[in-house]
Amino acid sequence: MSITKSFQIITKRMDKSEEKRRILSVVFGSHFNSYSILQELQSQNVEDIVLIYSHAGLASYSNIPVEKIKVQGDFDSYYYVLLNLGSRYEKLILFPSDDLHIEFFYRYYDQLLEFCYIPLNPDTYQYSIEKFNQYKACEELSIPYPKSILVNSEEDIEGISGIEFPMIIKPLQREDLKIDLFRNIVLHTKDEWNKNLNRIVEVLKGGVKLIISEIIPGDTNGTIYAYCGFRSPLGSHKILNQWTGKKLSQHPDDYGVFSSASNEAPEEVRQYGEKLIEKLNLYGFIEPEFKYDERDGKYKLMEINLRPMMWNRMGYLSGVKLHYTAWLDANEMGIEKYEQDDSRIVHFYYLRHELNNLKRRQGYWKVFRYNLFGGDKNVMAIFNFKDIKPFLFDLLVLLKNLFKK
């Protein structure tokens, strides 16, 4: 592949000097979480930031990056961009926003390591992304998790007798990054199981391993908690900073993505998160997510993400600058130990998702009102007078969605 054809420089606002600079922050992706990373770095006067993306999104309209580069989306195109940037900078700090980016870091780790700061432990990556191994770690650490079985073949399906409906079926790894495959299937009844059985068997015959887990009952509004920590890939591999919070609501349903969140979480979530990071020997941005089970009063691990999640800005809003922590670590500078501010409740909401929920969900008005106005401090995502284009782009998408039948 030609290097010049693998990417397109959309905007360039670099210093005119030809002198090679020391370090560059490289943010991947153009969605909501990428924009939050840009905002945090800018707030700490980090100037040299490049955005790399494959599809236009709200972050690609931001005026924060000094350069925006659109790639074709395959791993080679990402690599050629980094090579090009590496010829101008001594070191690149990589900020992922999607599982695809982490997979890219893993596959090209050896080629990138010479000139990139990579928030990943390649030695534990493959093991740690398998849900069954995450639950195995929970078992060894006495951390609660949903009843689950590993399904390697059609013969293992009989094991579902130990799992009650409703249940969720997921590939053991994020196979949808590589092949055309579902991320999950939610089944509520035996009839739904029978209707999907042929599909499940075909997937197993294709060599994909599945994990089948019970779904913890109850509404997800206010019951999904997260630990977010950054563990250095350098030196002593310490957890440098961390914060916890909870989702107030999701979009478009209980199995959707962030809509609103707060900085509230119990101490167990912090303790469990720390233990899992150490046990699985993970580096970079780590986010174990838990759900409260009202049947036994326990917080049970749902999954572990290895990159900044969609509502990562909650950390910054409650006093923990996790992305700036990574920047300081890459620069080998002194790192302040942030204490999360829990003296007041912060609500962070994504207006587009909240309005869509209000339109589609019956009886959502009380939840909507609380999410937007129920905190001691209420912050609407994206809106920034000094960088208004991302908000306007998102507003257009919102209006289109609201007027759809």
Side-chain angles (χ1 to χ4, degrees):
M1 180 187 296
S2 167
I3 291 180
T4 56
K5 291 183 179 179
S6 66
F7 62 90
Q8 177 185 6
I9 298 176
I10 304 300
T11 61
K12 188 173 182 180
R13 187 164 44 87
M14 307 296 262
D15 193 297
K16 294 181 181 179
S17 172
E18 295 293 330
E19 183 180 355
K20 191 172 183 180
R21 298 185 180 209
R22 195 172 95 81
I23 200 157
L24 176 72
S25 299
V26 181
V27 178
F28 288 75
S30 62
H31 195 38
F32 187 100
N33 43 353
S34 304
Y35 186 60
S36 294
I37 297 171
L38 292 176
Q39 288 180 292
E40 181 177 321
L41 294 176
Q42 184 194 47
S43 73
Q44 301 306 301
N45 299 314
V46 176
E47 296 180 349
D48 290 344
I49 308 172
V50 164
L51 183 73
I52 301 175
Y53 64 97
S54 59
H55 298 90
L58 61 92
S60 64
Y61 292 91
S62 172
N63 61 25
I64 295 174
V66 295
E67 191 170 321
K68 291 183 278 190
I69 305 172
K70 187 174 182 180
V71 299
Q72 294 177 357
D74 59 279
F75 288 168
D76 280 347
S77 64
Y78 283 118
Y79 178 57
Y80 291 142
V81 170
L82 295 184
L83 278 180
N84 180 275
L85 293 172
S87 68
R88 291 184 275 150
Y89 287 81
E90 292 183 11
K91 183 185 292 184
L92 311 180
I93 312 174
L94 307 185
F95 292 91
S97 63
D98 190 274
D99 293 333
L100 179 73
H101 306 142
I102 297 295
E103 181 74 16
F104 163 64
F105 296 170
Y106 172 71
R107 295 195 195 181
Y108 283 72
Y109 188 86
D110 291 338
Q111 297 97 310
L112 296 174
L113 186 59
E114 184 178 348
F115 62 98
C116 293
Y117 175 91
I118 310 173
L120 174 72
N121 184 350
D123 296 331
T124 61
Y125 169 72
Q126 289 279 38
Y127 180 88
S128 63
I129 61 174
E130 291 196 1
K131 184 70 68 68
F132 190 77
N133 291 332
Q134 296 175 10
Y135 288 167
K136 182 180 178 181
C138 286
E139 184 75 27
E140 295 173 358
L141 293 167
S142 299
I143 294 174
Y145 64 96
K147 288 182 181 178
S148 304
I149 63 165
L150 178 63
V151 180
N152 293 310
S153 65
E154 188 175 354
E155 289 72 28
D156 294 335
I157 288 177
E158 295 179 4
I160 71 155
S161 58
I163 307 294
E164 297 182 1
F165 291 99
M167 64 177 61
I168 186 166
I169 303 174
K170 291 185 175 183
L172 194 59
Q173 297 184 10
R174 281 291 308 276
E175 301 287 351
D176 62 299
L177 295 176
K178 310 167 190 174
I179 59 176
D180 183 17
L181 180 67
F182 57 83
R183 284 196 64 176
N184 62 66
I185 301 175
V186 177
L187 303 176
H188 296 89
T189 65
K190 184 68 174 179
D191 285 343
E192 290 184 6
W193 167 266
N194 291 333
K195 289 178 181 177
N196 284 274
L197 184 56
N198 289 337
R199 182 184 181 192
I200 293 167
V201 170
E202 287 302 313
V203 167
L204 292 169
K205 287 180 178 178
V208 176
K209 298 178 182 179
L210 301 174
I211 186 166
I212 302 179
S213 304
E214 67 169 340
I215 291 179
I216 298 171
D219 197 337
T220 61
N221 291 338
T223 62
I224 303 295
Y225 295 82
Y227 166 94
C228 303
F230 183 81
R231 188 172 184 230
S232 174
L234 306 177
S236 61
H237 307 303
K238 290 182 178 180
I239 298 174
L240 300 179
N241 273 304
Q242 58 189 352
W243 61 273
T244 58
K246 73 175 178 180
K247 289 182 182 178
L248 298 173
S249 60
Q250 300 193 99
H251 170 80
D253 52 36
D254 284 347
Y255 309 102
V257 297
F258 156 79
S259 185
S260 291
S262 80
N263 59 331
E264 305 164 274
E267 176 63 14
E268 293 100 313
V269 169
R270 183 192 63 79
Q271 294 175 355
Y272 292 163
E274 286 183 343
K275 289 179 179 179
L276 286 167
I277 285 181
E278 299 288 351
K279 179 68 176 179
L280 293 169
N281 197 17
L282 303 171
Y283 304 161
F285 302 95
I286 318 298
E287 187 250 342
E289 196 167 82
F290 305 85
K291 184 176 181 182
Y292 177 73
D293 190 340
E294 61 183 11
R295 296 172 300 180
D296 54 17
K298 295 180 179 179
Y299 299 88
K300 299 182 177 179
L301 180 72
M302 306 305 292
E303 63 181 348
I304 300 176
N305 295 308
L306 305 184
R307 38 77 183 167
M309 59 182 176
M310 191 170 176
W311 48 294
N312 65 73
R313 189 160 176 77
M314 175 53 69
Y316 176 82
L317 295 173
S318 56
V320 180
K321 304 161 189 174
L322 217 57
H323 306 99
Y324 186 55
T325 295
W327 186 88
L328 290 171
D329 190 47
N331 279 280
E332 300 181 18
M333 298 172 67
I335 297 170
E336 179 181 351
K337 189 70 174 180
Y338 300 117
E339 292 297 329
Q340 187 173 9
D341 181 8
D342 58 4
S343 63
R344 57 179 180 171
I345 296 174
V346 179
H347 282 196
F348 177 57
Y349 61 91
Y350 187 15
L351 185 61
R352 172 150 70 95
H353 283 180
E354 281 297 319
L355 287 173
N356 280 327
N357 284 346
L358 184 63
K359 174 186 176 183
R360 297 174 182 178
R361 296 193 196 180
Q362 189 174 2
Y364 192 76
W365 171 249
K366 282 188 177 181
V367 177
F368 176 84
R369 186 174 59 186
Y370 175 73
N371 290 348
L372 269 64
F373 308 110
D376 299 317
K377 178 182 179 181
N378 305 292
V379 180
M380 181 171 65
I382 303 171
F383 185 79
N384 182 351
F385 267 124
K386 296 182 179 179
D387 189 25
I388 198 66
K389 286 184 178 180
F391 178 78
L392 295 178
F393 167 83
D394 210 54
L395 181 62
L396 287 175
V397 176
L398 168 64
L399 293 174
K400 288 179 181 179
N401 289 341
L402 290 179
F403 286 105
K404 282 182 180 179
K405 291 184 179 180

PDB file of all heavy atoms in Angstrom, residues 386-398:
ATOM      1  N   LYS A 386     -15.976  28.090  22.957  1.00  0.00           N
ATOM      2  CA  LYS A 386     -14.717  28.298  22.249  1.00  0.00           C
ATOM      3  C   LYS A 386     -14.446  27.236  21.194  1.00  0.00           C
ATOM      4  O   LYS A 386     -13.500  27.367  20.412  1.00  0.00           O
ATOM      5  CB  LYS A 386     -13.568  28.353  23.264  1.00  0.00           C
ATOM      6  CG  LYS A 386     -13.661  29.538  24.221  1.00  0.00           C
ATOM      7  CD  LYS A 386     -12.474  29.560  25.173  1.00  0.00           C
ATOM      8  CE  LYS A 386     -12.555  30.755  26.112  1.00  0.00           C
ATOM      9  NZ  LYS A 386     -11.411  30.785  27.072  1.00  0.00           N
ATOM     10  N   ASP A 387     -15.248  26.178  21.198  1.00  0.00           N
ATOM     11  CA  ASP A 387     -15.076  25.095  20.234  1.00  0.00           C
ATOM     12  C   ASP A 387     -16.475  24.569  19.895  1.00  0.00           C
ATOM     13  O   ASP A 387     -16.856  23.448  20.239  1.00  0.00           O
ATOM     14  CB  ASP A 387     -14.199  23.993  20.855  1.00  0.00           C
ATOM     15  CG  ASP A 387     -13.784  22.933  19.838  1.00  0.00           C
ATOM     16  OD1 ASP A 387     -13.739  23.246  18.639  1.00  0.00           O
ATOM     17  OD2 ASP A 387     -13.509  21.792  20.267  1.00  0.00           O
ATOM     18  N   ILE A 388     -17.251  25.384  19.198  1.00  0.00           N
ATOM     19  CA  ILE A 388     -18.690  25.160  19.060  1.00  0.00           C
ATOM     20  C   ILE A 388     -19.064  24.165  17.966  1.00  0.00           C
ATOM     21  O   ILE A 388     -20.150  23.580  17.987  1.00  0.00           O
ATOM     22  CB  ILE A 388     -19.409  26.515  18.811  1.00  0.00           C
ATOM     23  CG1 ILE A 388     -20.909  26.397  19.109  1.00  0.00           C
ATOM     24  CG2 ILE A 388     -19.136  27.016  17.404  1.00  0.00           C
ATOM     25  CD1 ILE A 388     -21.239  26.138  20.548  1.00  0.00           C
ATOM     26  N   LYS A 389     -18.191  23.923  17.002  1.00  0.00           N
ATOM     27  CA  LYS A 389     -18.562  23.073  15.866  1.00  0.00           C
ATOM     28  C   LYS A 389     -18.951  21.642  16.260  1.00  0.00           C
ATOM     29  O   LYS A 389     -19.913  21.094  15.702  1.00  0.00           O
ATOM     30  CB  LYS A 389     -17.440  23.057  14.832  1.00  0.00           C
ATOM     31  CG  LYS A 389     -17.333  24.348  14.023  1.00  0.00           C
ATOM     32  CD  LYS A 389     -16.271  24.225  12.943  1.00  0.00           C
ATOM     33  CE  LYS A 389     -16.193  25.497  12.114  1.00  0.00           C
ATOM     34  NZ  LYS A 389     -15.149  25.395  11.050  1.00  0.00           N
ATOM     35  N   PRO A 390     -18.255  20.985  17.202  1.00  0.00           N
ATOM     36  CA  PRO A 390     -18.697  19.643  17.600  1.00  0.00           C
ATOM     37  C   PRO A 390     -20.131  19.626  18.134  1.00  0.00           C
ATOM     38  O   PRO A 390     -20.903  18.712  17.827  1.00  0.00           O
ATOM     39  CB  PRO A 390     -17.694  19.244  18.687  1.00  0.00           C
ATOM     40  CG  PRO A 390     -16.458  19.998  18.325  1.00  0.00           C
ATOM     41  CD  PRO A 390     -16.962  21.324  17.821  1.00  0.00           C
ATOM     42  N   PHE A 391     -20.488  20.637  18.916  1.00  0.00           N
ATOM     43  CA  PHE A 391     -21.852  20.707  19.445  1.00  0.00           C
ATOM     44  C   PHE A 391     -22.869  20.909  18.324  1.00  0.00           C
ATOM     45  O   PHE A 391     -23.933  20.280  18.310  1.00  0.00           O
ATOM     46  CB  PHE A 391     -21.958  21.839  20.465  1.00  0.00           C
ATOM     47  CG  PHE A 391     -23.341  22.011  21.018  1.00  0.00           C
ATOM     48  CD1 PHE A 391     -23.826  21.154  21.994  1.00  0.00           C
ATOM     49  CD2 PHE A 391     -24.166  23.028  20.546  1.00  0.00           C
ATOM     50  CE1 PHE A 391     -25.112  21.311  22.499  1.00  0.00           C
ATOM     51  CE2 PHE A 391     -25.455  23.186  21.042  1.00  0.00           C
ATOM     52  CZ  PHE A 391     -25.927  22.325  22.019  1.00  0.00           C
ATOM     53  N   LEU A 392     -22.558  21.776  17.378  1.00  0.00           N
ATOM     54  CA  LEU A 392     -23.482  22.027  16.268  1.00  0.00           C
ATOM     55  C   LEU A 392     -23.654  20.784  15.406  1.00  0.00           C
ATOM     56  O   LEU A 392     -24.765  20.470  14.960  1.00  0.00           O
ATOM     57  CB  LEU A 392     -22.964  23.194  15.420  1.00  0.00           C
ATOM     58  CG  LEU A 392     -22.927  24.553  16.114  1.00  0.00           C
ATOM     59  CD1 LEU A 392     -22.347  25.605  15.182  1.00  0.00           C
ATOM     60  CD2 LEU A 392     -24.325  24.967  16.594  1.00  0.00           C
ATOM     61  N   PHE A 393     -22.565  20.050  15.176  1.00  0.00           N
ATOM     62  CA  PHE A 393     -22.651  18.796  14.431  1.00  0.00           C
ATOM     63  C   PHE A 393     -23.573  17.816  15.151  1.00  0.00           C
ATOM     64  O   PHE A 393     -24.452  17.201  14.542  1.00  0.00           O
ATOM     65  CB  PHE A 393     -21.254  18.182  14.286  1.00  0.00           C
ATOM     66  CG  PHE A 393     -21.269  16.752  13.816  1.00  0.00           C
ATOM     67  CD1 PHE A 393     -21.371  16.438  12.472  1.00  0.00           C
ATOM     68  CD2 PHE A 393     -21.183  15.709  14.736  1.00  0.00           C
ATOM     69  CE1 PHE A 393     -21.398  15.117  12.043  1.00  0.00           C
ATOM     70  CE2 PHE A 393     -21.197  14.389  14.323  1.00  0.00           C
ATOM     71  CZ  PHE A 393     -21.309  14.094  12.976  1.00  0.00           C
ATOM     72  N   ASP A 394     -23.392  17.703  16.460  1.00  0.00           N
ATOM     73  CA  ASP A 394     -24.199  16.771  17.239  1.00  0.00           C
ATOM     74  C   ASP A 394     -25.656  17.224  17.298  1.00  0.00           C
ATOM     75  O   ASP A 394     -26.578  16.398  17.320  1.00  0.00           O
ATOM     76  CB  ASP A 394     -23.625  16.653  18.651  1.00  0.00           C
ATOM     77  CG  ASP A 394     -23.873  15.293  19.261  1.00  0.00           C
ATOM     78  OD1 ASP A 394     -23.512  14.288  18.626  1.00  0.00           O
ATOM     79  OD2 ASP A 394     -24.431  15.231  20.374  1.00  0.00           O
ATOM     80  N   LEU A 395     -25.866  18.537  17.307  1.00  0.00           N
ATOM     81  CA  LEU A 395     -27.226  19.071  17.327  1.00  0.00           C
ATOM     82  C   LEU A 395     -27.976  18.691  16.051  1.00  0.00           C
ATOM     83  O   LEU A 395     -29.162  18.338  16.096  1.00  0.00           O
ATOM     84  CB  LEU A 395     -27.182  20.594  17.491  1.00  0.00           C
ATOM     85  CG  LEU A 395     -28.537  21.311  17.559  1.00  0.00           C
ATOM     86  CD1 LEU A 395     -29.329  20.845  18.765  1.00  0.00           C
ATOM     87  CD2 LEU A 395     -28.323  22.826  17.620  1.00  0.00           C
ATOM     88  N   LEU A 396     -27.299  18.740  14.924  1.00  0.00           N
ATOM     89  CA  LEU A 396     -27.926  18.351  13.656  1.00  0.00           C
ATOM     90  C   LEU A 396     -28.328  16.878  13.674  1.00  0.00           C
ATOM     91  O   LEU A 396     -29.416  16.500  13.227  1.00  0.00           O
ATOM     92  CB  LEU A 396     -26.978  18.623  12.492  1.00  0.00           C
ATOM     93  CG  LEU A 396     -26.778  20.086  12.114  1.00  0.00           C
ATOM     94  CD1 LEU A 396     -25.709  20.206  11.023  1.00  0.00           C
ATOM     95  CD2 LEU A 396     -28.085  20.708  11.632  1.00  0.00           C
ATOM     96  N   VAL A 397     -27.448  16.037  14.204  1.00  0.00           N
ATOM     97  CA  VAL A 397     -27.767  14.610  14.322  1.00  0.00           C
ATOM     98  C   VAL A 397     -28.966  14.409  15.234  1.00  0.00           C
ATOM     99  O   VAL A 397     -29.863  13.608  14.950  1.00  0.00           O
ATOM    100  CB  VAL A 397     -26.549  13.823  14.854  1.00  0.00           C
ATOM    101  CG1 VAL A 397     -26.910  12.351  15.065  1.00  0.00           C
ATOM    102  CG2 VAL A 397     -25.374  13.945  13.904  1.00  0.00           C
ATOM    103  N   LEU A 398     -28.994  15.149  16.321  1.00  0.00           N
ATOM    104  CA  LEU A 398     -30.104  15.068  17.272  1.00  0.00           C
ATOM    105  C   LEU A 398     -31.430  15.435  16.609  1.00  0.00           C
ATOM    106  O   LEU A 398     -32.430  14.732  16.752  1.00  0.00           O
ATOM    107  CB  LEU A 398     -29.836  15.996  18.460  1.00  0.00           C
ATOM    108  CG  LEU A 398     -31.009  16.250  19.413  1.00  0.00           C
ATOM    109  CD1 LEU A 398     -31.422  14.955  20.097  1.00  0.00           C
ATOM    110  CD2 LEU A 398     -30.627  17.307  20.450  1.00  0.00           C
TER     111      LEU A 398
END
